[in-house]
Amino acid sequence: TFDESSDDLFKVQLEIAESIAKLLTNEITPESLKKLVQDKPNNTEAYEYYLKGLYYHSEYWNNAQDEDFIRSEKMFQKSIELDNGFASAFADLADLYDTRSNSGDSYKWLALRDSLAEISFLINRNSPIVSHIKGNTFLRSPKPNYDRAFFYFRKTIDLESGYAPYIYTMSAFYD
């Protein structure tokens, strides 16, 4: 049974995942346990803001409306304010700026992207979104470094092999 408060949501998720993994494999390895706890925020409210940031980023990606960009940026910033050790919030804010760089003033947005990507990398270099945005910093720059971009995109696939957008990005190297 799981009798935890809502503040311990991620602890409960981990306990459930461990229980399921033990039932399925009779033993959980330290490597698989590490993957289960990878890049989880310490604050559930930070996670809620992060998810809202992802939603508005998706809206901005699809509709290119400035208000969606602003909403997404604010949600990610609030997530970071509440939990400054949550690498995915930094990485996805960097990804939002990468998206924004397509609409003008690209040097400004790419510089912000690069700074946030580096912070996210320092926090958790084993997160798929962190590796993905790190790859973008090498691919989408004034002087692209395709070897470094490929390295980070390959690492992204190794960390999370079934996520279609990561596979799509990697496929560009095989055209």
PDB file of all heavy atoms in Angstrom, residues 3-26:
ATOM      1  N   ASP A   3       0.725   5.047   1.294  1.00  0.00           N
ATOM      2  CA  ASP A   3       0.039   6.029   2.133  1.00  0.00           C
ATOM      3  C   ASP A   3       0.891   7.266   2.294  1.00  0.00           C
ATOM      4  O   ASP A   3       1.234   7.666   3.391  1.00  0.00           O
ATOM      5  CB  ASP A   3      -0.263   5.435   3.515  1.00  0.00           C
ATOM      6  CG  ASP A   3      -1.191   4.234   3.430  1.00  0.00           C
ATOM      7  OD1 ASP A   3      -2.116   4.278   2.609  1.00  0.00           O
ATOM      8  OD2 ASP A   3      -0.959   3.262   4.173  1.00  0.00           O
ATOM      9  N   GLU A   4       1.219   7.906   1.213  1.00  0.00           N
ATOM     10  CA  GLU A   4       2.066   9.096   1.248  1.00  0.00           C
ATOM     11  C   GLU A   4       1.222  10.336   1.007  1.00  0.00           C
ATOM     12  O   GLU A   4       0.165  10.274   0.385  1.00  0.00           O
ATOM     13  CB  GLU A   4       3.156   9.016   0.167  1.00  0.00           C
ATOM     14  CG  GLU A   4       4.046   7.790   0.267  1.00  0.00           C
ATOM     15  CD  GLU A   4       4.971   7.828   1.464  1.00  0.00           C
ATOM     16  OE1 GLU A   4       5.302   8.916   1.952  1.00  0.00           O
ATOM     17  OE2 GLU A   4       5.368   6.736   1.914  1.00  0.00           O
ATOM     18  N   SER A   5       1.690  11.492   1.456  1.00  0.00           N
ATOM     19  CA  SER A   5       1.002  12.745   1.184  1.00  0.00           C
ATOM     20  C   SER A   5       1.249  13.164  -0.261  1.00  0.00           C
ATOM     21  O   SER A   5       2.150  12.645  -0.920  1.00  0.00           O
ATOM     22  CB  SER A   5       1.501  13.843   2.134  1.00  0.00           C
ATOM     23  OG  SER A   5       2.813  14.210   1.799  1.00  0.00           O
ATOM     24  N   SER A   6       0.469  14.119  -0.742  1.00  0.00           N
ATOM     25  CA  SER A   6       0.634  14.560  -2.130  1.00  0.00           C
ATOM     26  C   SER A   6       1.983  15.230  -2.354  1.00  0.00           C
ATOM     27  O   SER A   6       2.465  15.285  -3.485  1.00  0.00           O
ATOM     28  CB  SER A   6      -0.496  15.503  -2.530  1.00  0.00           C
ATOM     29  OG  SER A   6      -0.460  16.667  -1.729  1.00  0.00           O
ATOM     30  N   ASP A   7       2.622  15.733  -1.289  1.00  0.00           N
ATOM     31  CA  ASP A   7       3.948  16.332  -1.447  1.00  0.00           C
ATOM     32  C   ASP A   7       4.999  15.292  -1.815  1.00  0.00           C
ATOM     33  O   ASP A   7       6.055  15.617  -2.321  1.00  0.00           O
ATOM     34  CB  ASP A   7       4.379  17.042  -0.152  1.00  0.00           C
ATOM     35  CG  ASP A   7       3.546  18.288   0.108  1.00  0.00           C
ATOM     36  OD1 ASP A   7       2.971  18.823  -0.868  1.00  0.00           O
ATOM     37  OD2 ASP A   7       3.479  18.708   1.271  1.00  0.00           O
ATOM     38  N   ASP A   8       4.696  14.045  -1.540  1.00  0.00           N
ATOM     39  CA  ASP A   8       5.647  12.975  -1.824  1.00  0.00           C
ATOM     40  C   ASP A   8       5.273  12.219  -3.096  1.00  0.00           C
ATOM     41  O   ASP A   8       5.550  11.030  -3.222  1.00  0.00           O
ATOM     42  CB  ASP A   8       5.718  12.004  -0.642  1.00  0.00           C
ATOM     43  CG  ASP A   8       6.282  12.661   0.599  1.00  0.00           C
ATOM     44  OD1 ASP A   8       7.188  13.504   0.459  1.00  0.00           O
ATOM     45  OD2 ASP A   8       5.815  12.320   1.696  1.00  0.00           O
ATOM     46  N   LEU A   9       4.639  12.918  -4.020  1.00  0.00           N
ATOM     47  CA  LEU A   9       4.156  12.298  -5.245  1.00  0.00           C
ATOM     48  C   LEU A   9       5.253  11.523  -5.977  1.00  0.00           C
ATOM     49  O   LEU A   9       5.050  10.393  -6.395  1.00  0.00           O
ATOM     50  CB  LEU A   9       3.558  13.361  -6.173  1.00  0.00           C
ATOM     51  CG  LEU A   9       3.112  12.889  -7.560  1.00  0.00           C
ATOM     52  CD1 LEU A   9       1.959  11.910  -7.429  1.00  0.00           C
ATOM     53  CD2 LEU A   9       2.691  14.069  -8.407  1.00  0.00           C
ATOM     54  N   PHE A  10       6.431  12.120  -6.118  1.00  0.00           N
ATOM     55  CA  PHE A  10       7.488  11.467  -6.877  1.00  0.00           C
ATOM     56  C   PHE A  10       8.059  10.279  -6.106  1.00  0.00           C
ATOM     57  O   PHE A  10       8.468   9.290  -6.703  1.00  0.00           O
ATOM     58  CB  PHE A  10       8.574  12.466  -7.264  1.00  0.00           C
ATOM     59  CG  PHE A  10       8.031  13.527  -8.168  1.00  0.00           C
ATOM     60  CD1 PHE A  10       7.834  14.812  -7.713  1.00  0.00           C
ATOM     61  CD2 PHE A  10       7.661  13.222  -9.470  1.00  0.00           C
ATOM     62  CE1 PHE A  10       7.297  15.777  -8.544  1.00  0.00           C
ATOM     63  CE2 PHE A  10       7.119  14.182 -10.309  1.00  0.00           C
ATOM     64  CZ  PHE A  10       6.932  15.461  -9.848  1.00  0.00           C
ATOM     65  N   LYS A  11       8.055  10.361  -4.782  1.00  0.00           N
ATOM     66  CA  LYS A  11       8.477   9.219  -3.962  1.00  0.00           C
ATOM     67  C   LYS A  11       7.517   8.054  -4.169  1.00  0.00           C
ATOM     68  O   LYS A  11       7.941   6.911  -4.326  1.00  0.00           O
ATOM     69  CB  LYS A  11       8.538   9.628  -2.488  1.00  0.00           C
ATOM     70  CG  LYS A  11       9.014   8.534  -1.572  1.00  0.00           C
ATOM     71  CD  LYS A  11       9.065   9.010  -0.134  1.00  0.00           C
ATOM     72  CE  LYS A  11       9.436   7.869   0.790  1.00  0.00           C
ATOM     73  NZ  LYS A  11       9.310   8.254   2.188  1.00  0.00           N
ATOM     74  N   VAL A  12       6.220   8.345  -4.189  1.00  0.00           N
ATOM     75  CA  VAL A  12       5.214   7.317  -4.423  1.00  0.00           C
ATOM     76  C   VAL A  12       5.390   6.721  -5.814  1.00  0.00           C
ATOM     77  O   VAL A  12       5.345   5.496  -5.986  1.00  0.00           O
ATOM     78  CB  VAL A  12       3.782   7.885  -4.240  1.00  0.00           C
ATOM     79  CG1 VAL A  12       2.735   6.880  -4.675  1.00  0.00           C
ATOM     80  CG2 VAL A  12       3.558   8.287  -2.795  1.00  0.00           C
ATOM     81  N   GLN A  13       5.618   7.578  -6.826  1.00  0.00           N
ATOM     82  CA  GLN A  13       5.835   7.073  -8.178  1.00  0.00           C
ATOM     83  C   GLN A  13       7.030   6.130  -8.222  1.00  0.00           C
ATOM     84  O   GLN A  13       6.988   5.083  -8.871  1.00  0.00           O
ATOM     85  CB  GLN A  13       6.061   8.230  -9.154  1.00  0.00           C
ATOM     86  CG  GLN A  13       4.812   8.977  -9.507  1.00  0.00           C
ATOM     87  CD  GLN A  13       5.091  10.131 -10.463  1.00  0.00           C
ATOM     88  OE1 GLN A  13       6.189  10.684 -10.506  1.00  0.00           O
ATOM     89  NE2 GLN A  13       4.081  10.508 -11.221  1.00  0.00           N
ATOM     90  N   LEU A  14       8.103   6.497  -7.525  1.00  0.00           N
ATOM     91  CA  LEU A  14       9.289   5.654  -7.487  1.00  0.00           C
ATOM     92  C   LEU A  14       8.989   4.329  -6.801  1.00  0.00           C
ATOM     93  O   LEU A  14       9.391   3.266  -7.287  1.00  0.00           O
ATOM     94  CB  LEU A  14      10.439   6.378  -6.784  1.00  0.00           C
ATOM     95  CG  LEU A  14      11.718   5.566  -6.584  1.00  0.00           C
ATOM     96  CD1 LEU A  14      12.267   5.111  -7.943  1.00  0.00           C
ATOM     97  CD2 LEU A  14      12.746   6.380  -5.840  1.00  0.00           C
ATOM     98  N   GLU A  15       8.263   4.367  -5.681  1.00  0.00           N
ATOM     99  CA  GLU A  15       7.923   3.135  -4.975  1.00  0.00           C
ATOM    100  C   GLU A  15       7.075   2.220  -5.848  1.00  0.00           C
ATOM    101  O   GLU A  15       7.288   1.006  -5.883  1.00  0.00           O
ATOM    102  CB  GLU A  15       7.197   3.458  -3.667  1.00  0.00           C
ATOM    103  CG  GLU A  15       8.104   4.070  -2.611  1.00  0.00           C
ATOM    104  CD  GLU A  15       7.336   4.506  -1.361  1.00  0.00           C
ATOM    105  OE1 GLU A  15       6.128   4.200  -1.251  1.00  0.00           O
ATOM    106  OE2 GLU A  15       7.958   5.151  -0.507  1.00  0.00           O
ATOM    107  N   ILE A  16       6.120   2.795  -6.561  1.00  0.00           N
ATOM    108  CA  ILE A  16       5.287   1.997  -7.460  1.00  0.00           C
ATOM    109  C   ILE A  16       6.138   1.404  -8.576  1.00  0.00           C
ATOM    110  O   ILE A  16       6.026   0.213  -8.889  1.00  0.00           O
ATOM    111  CB  ILE A  16       4.129   2.849  -8.032  1.00  0.00           C
ATOM    112  CG1 ILE A  16       3.140   3.211  -6.914  1.00  0.00           C
ATOM    113  CG2 ILE A  16       3.420   2.110  -9.173  1.00  0.00           C
ATOM    114  CD1 ILE A  16       2.104   4.251  -7.314  1.00  0.00           C
ATOM    115  N   ALA A  17       7.001   2.216  -9.175  1.00  0.00           N
ATOM    116  CA  ALA A  17       7.868   1.724 -10.256  1.00  0.00           C
ATOM    117  C   ALA A  17       8.778   0.614  -9.757  1.00  0.00           C
ATOM    118  O   ALA A  17       8.983  -0.396 -10.442  1.00  0.00           O
ATOM    119  CB  ALA A  17       8.695   2.873 -10.832  1.00  0.00           C
ATOM    120  N   GLU A  18       9.334   0.775  -8.551  1.00  0.00           N
ATOM    121  CA  GLU A  18      10.188  -0.268  -7.977  1.00  0.00           C
ATOM    122  C   GLU A  18       9.401  -1.553  -7.762  1.00  0.00           C
ATOM    123  O   GLU A  18       9.884  -2.647  -8.068  1.00  0.00           O
ATOM    124  CB  GLU A  18      10.791   0.195  -6.654  1.00  0.00           C
ATOM    125  CG  GLU A  18      11.913   1.189  -6.786  1.00  0.00           C
ATOM    126  CD  GLU A  18      12.411   1.687  -5.429  1.00  0.00           C
ATOM    127  OE1 GLU A  18      11.697   1.557  -4.410  1.00  0.00           O
ATOM    128  OE2 GLU A  18      13.542   2.210  -5.410  1.00  0.00           O
ATOM    129  N   SER A  19       8.170  -1.427  -7.240  1.00  0.00           N
ATOM    130  CA  SER A  19       7.335  -2.601  -6.991  1.00  0.00           C
ATOM    131  C   SER A  19       7.023  -3.335  -8.289  1.00  0.00           C
ATOM    132  O   SER A  19       7.110  -4.565  -8.355  1.00  0.00           O
ATOM    133  CB  SER A  19       6.031  -2.190  -6.306  1.00  0.00           C
ATOM    134  OG  SER A  19       6.285  -1.631  -5.050  1.00  0.00           O
ATOM    135  N   ILE A  20       6.667  -2.590  -9.311  1.00  0.00           N
ATOM    136  CA  ILE A  20       6.365  -3.201 -10.610  1.00  0.00           C
ATOM    137  C   ILE A  20       7.612  -3.858 -11.188  1.00  0.00           C
ATOM    138  O   ILE A  20       7.563  -4.995 -11.677  1.00  0.00           O
ATOM    139  CB  ILE A  20       5.773  -2.161 -11.581  1.00  0.00           C
ATOM    140  CG1 ILE A  20       4.387  -1.723 -11.096  1.00  0.00           C
ATOM    141  CG2 ILE A  20       5.705  -2.711 -13.011  1.00  0.00           C
ATOM    142  CD1 ILE A  20       3.823  -0.526 -11.827  1.00  0.00           C
ATOM    143  N   ALA A  21       8.732  -3.156 -11.119  1.00  0.00           N
ATOM    144  CA  ALA A  21       9.979  -3.709 -11.652  1.00  0.00           C
ATOM    145  C   ALA A  21      10.356  -4.996 -10.926  1.00  0.00           C
ATOM    146  O   ALA A  21      10.784  -5.969 -11.547  1.00  0.00           O
ATOM    147  CB  ALA A  21      11.107  -2.685 -11.533  1.00  0.00           C
ATOM    148  N   LYS A  22      10.179  -5.031  -9.608  1.00  0.00           N
ATOM    149  CA  LYS A  22      10.496  -6.239  -8.843  1.00  0.00           C
ATOM    150  C   LYS A  22       9.581  -7.383  -9.226  1.00  0.00           C
ATOM    151  O   LYS A  22      10.009  -8.533  -9.315  1.00  0.00           O
ATOM    152  CB  LYS A  22      10.417  -5.949  -7.344  1.00  0.00           C
ATOM    153  CG  LYS A  22      11.598  -5.159  -6.836  1.00  0.00           C
ATOM    154  CD  LYS A  22      11.474  -4.852  -5.355  1.00  0.00           C
ATOM    155  CE  LYS A  22      12.643  -3.990  -4.911  1.00  0.00           C
ATOM    156  NZ  LYS A  22      12.534  -3.571  -3.523  1.00  0.00           N
ATOM    157  N   LEU A  23       8.296  -7.084  -9.446  1.00  0.00           N
ATOM    158  CA  LEU A  23       7.361  -8.123  -9.866  1.00  0.00           C
ATOM    159  C   LEU A  23       7.729  -8.682 -11.237  1.00  0.00           C
ATOM    160  O   LEU A  23       7.619  -9.873 -11.481  1.00  0.00           O
ATOM    161  CB  LEU A  23       5.937  -7.572  -9.901  1.00  0.00           C
ATOM    162  CG  LEU A  23       5.270  -7.324  -8.557  1.00  0.00           C
ATOM    163  CD1 LEU A  23       3.939  -6.601  -8.762  1.00  0.00           C
ATOM    164  CD2 LEU A  23       5.044  -8.636  -7.811  1.00  0.00           C
ATOM    165  N   LEU A  24       8.152  -7.795 -12.119  1.00  0.00           N
ATOM    166  CA  LEU A  24       8.463  -8.217 -13.486  1.00  0.00           C
ATOM    167  C   LEU A  24       9.805  -8.924 -13.602  1.00  0.00           C
ATOM    168  O   LEU A  24       9.967  -9.839 -14.400  1.00  0.00           O
ATOM    169  CB  LEU A  24       8.428  -7.016 -14.435  1.00  0.00           C
ATOM    170  CG  LEU A  24       7.061  -6.366 -14.621  1.00  0.00           C
ATOM    171  CD1 LEU A  24       7.192  -5.119 -15.479  1.00  0.00           C
ATOM    172  CD2 LEU A  24       6.083  -7.338 -15.243  1.00  0.00           C
ATOM    173  N   THR A  25      10.791  -8.487 -12.827  1.00  0.00           N
ATOM    174  CA  THR A  25      12.137  -9.033 -12.996  1.00  0.00           C
ATOM    175  C   THR A  25      12.673  -9.751 -11.768  1.00  0.00           C
ATOM    176  O   THR A  25      13.761 -10.319 -11.825  1.00  0.00           O
ATOM    177  CB  THR A  25      13.131  -7.904 -13.332  1.00  0.00           C
ATOM    178  OG1 THR A  25      13.184  -7.009 -12.212  1.00  0.00           O
ATOM    179  CG2 THR A  25      12.743  -7.160 -14.581  1.00  0.00           C
ATOM    180  N   ASN A  26      11.902  -9.733 -10.678  1.00  0.00           N
ATOM    181  CA  ASN A  26      12.319 -10.312  -9.395  1.00  0.00           C
ATOM    182  C   ASN A  26      13.522  -9.625  -8.783  1.00  0.00           C
ATOM    183  O   ASN A  26      13.937  -9.963  -7.696  1.00  0.00           O
ATOM    184  CB  ASN A  26      12.576 -11.816  -9.513  1.00  0.00           C
ATOM    185  CG  ASN A  26      11.311 -12.574  -9.811  1.00  0.00           C
ATOM    186  OD1 ASN A  26      10.234 -12.175  -9.381  1.00  0.00           O
ATOM    187  ND2 ASN A  26      11.432 -13.659 -10.555  1.00  0.00           N
TER     188      ASN A  26
END
